[in-house]
Amino acid sequence: MISTLTGRVESVEASSAVIEVHGVGYEVRMAAADLAALHAGQETHVFTSLTISQDAVTLFGFLSPASKRMFLQLQKVSGIGPKVALSLLSTLPPDRLAKAVADGDTAALSKAPGLGKKGAQKIILELAGRIDLDQIRPEADGPSESRDPGARQVIEGLVSLGWRPQTAEEAVRQACDAASIVTPISAEDVPRVLKLALSSLDRGR
């Protein structure tokens, strides 16, 4: 089972990205928001789920563990397969999707292409009360701003320069990993992390 991929983005298409890992290119189907955060040449870390059917072997990818958890949770509903689950995640981020299920918001769920009102009602019926919202909220995915003010400072700096928040957060994580910088990021390390993250993002342009 392929659980994660860490490598270079080779290309980004309408519904998938190719990520090269040690010379092997993996085609990964991803939600629209995750694809929008990627660009060719970028180093990335993707959480994955491998699906095997009678006529295809498909690797699905996510930029956050919360998205992967929601993807797997949705498929526990009878009649909901990986394509519809990914469609839902392309329509709503995992925290809003979880809230829609908890609130019984059929209208929000039925906006996903390929689902419809009956499918939305089934999801609510079968998942209501079973989704742990604490495991889905965005702060469960990475360095929380309250726990890592240094990371927040760097991310805010990158965002002010025009980078997407999710892309900035990923660049900060990669910079810390590459330079073995301990998190939470200390005030002394903030300029260094910012420089490393900017260098990585500029190489990926």
Side-chain angles (χ1 to χ4, degrees):
M1 179 66 69
I2 302 173
S3 179
T4 64
L5 293 175
T6 299
R8 179 179 178 276
V9 179
E10 185 69 22
S11 63
V12 180
E13 305 297 336
S15 59
S16 64
V18 175
I19 300 173
E20 184 178 313
V21 182
H22 300 306
V24 178
Y26 294 85
E27 183 177 359
V28 187
R29 292 185 62 86
M30 303 178 72
D34 285 350
L35 288 170
L38 299 177
H39 55 268
Q42 172 186 352
E43 293 293 324
T44 190
H45 180 74
V46 178
F47 302 88
T48 60
S49 175
L50 184 66
T51 299
I52 301 175
S53 63
Q54 289 183 336
D55 55 358
V57 176
T58 308
L59 190 62
F60 294 88
F62 315 89
L63 294 184
S64 73
S67 293
K68 179 179 177 178
R69 283 192 291 267
M70 179 57 79
F71 176 77
L72 296 174
Q73 189 79 264
L74 287 166
Q75 292 179 77
K76 294 179 181 179
V77 178
S78 58
I80 301 298
K83 290 183 179 179
V84 174
L86 194 67
S87 176
L88 278 160
L89 284 166
S90 290
T91 305
L92 294 169
D95 57 325
R96 288 178 57 195
L97 187 49
K99 189 175 187 305
V101 172
D103 293 345
D105 190 349
T106 305
L109 296 177
S110 60
K111 291 178 181 178
L115 184 61
K117 186 176 180 180
K118 288 186 177 180
Q121 290 172 336
K122 181 179 286 188
I123 289 172
I124 292 169
L125 180 65
E126 296 190 26
L127 290 186
R130 294 174 55 190
I131 296 177
D132 184 352
L133 294 178
D134 288 335
Q135 293 295 311
I136 300 298
R137 292 191 182 103
E139 56 263 30
D141 295 335
S144 167
E145 293 187 354
S146 61
R147 287 178 293 159
D148 197 342
R152 180 187 63 203
Q153 187 176 346
V154 177
I155 290 169
E156 287 178 350
L158 294 172
V159 170
S160 71
L161 294 173
W163 297 99
R164 295 172 180 269
Q166 194 171 22
T167 302
E169 184 175 325
E170 178 69 10
V172 169
R173 186 193 66 78
Q174 290 177 357
C176 291
D177 288 348
S180 299
I181 296 173
V182 178
T183 56
I185 300 170
S186 67
E188 292 77 12
D189 279 330
V190 165
R192 182 184 176 201
V193 174
L194 179 59
K195 183 177 180 180
L196 288 169
L198 271 173
S199 177
S200 173
L201 290 169
D202 286 339
R203 284 199 303 271
R205 283 185 186 273

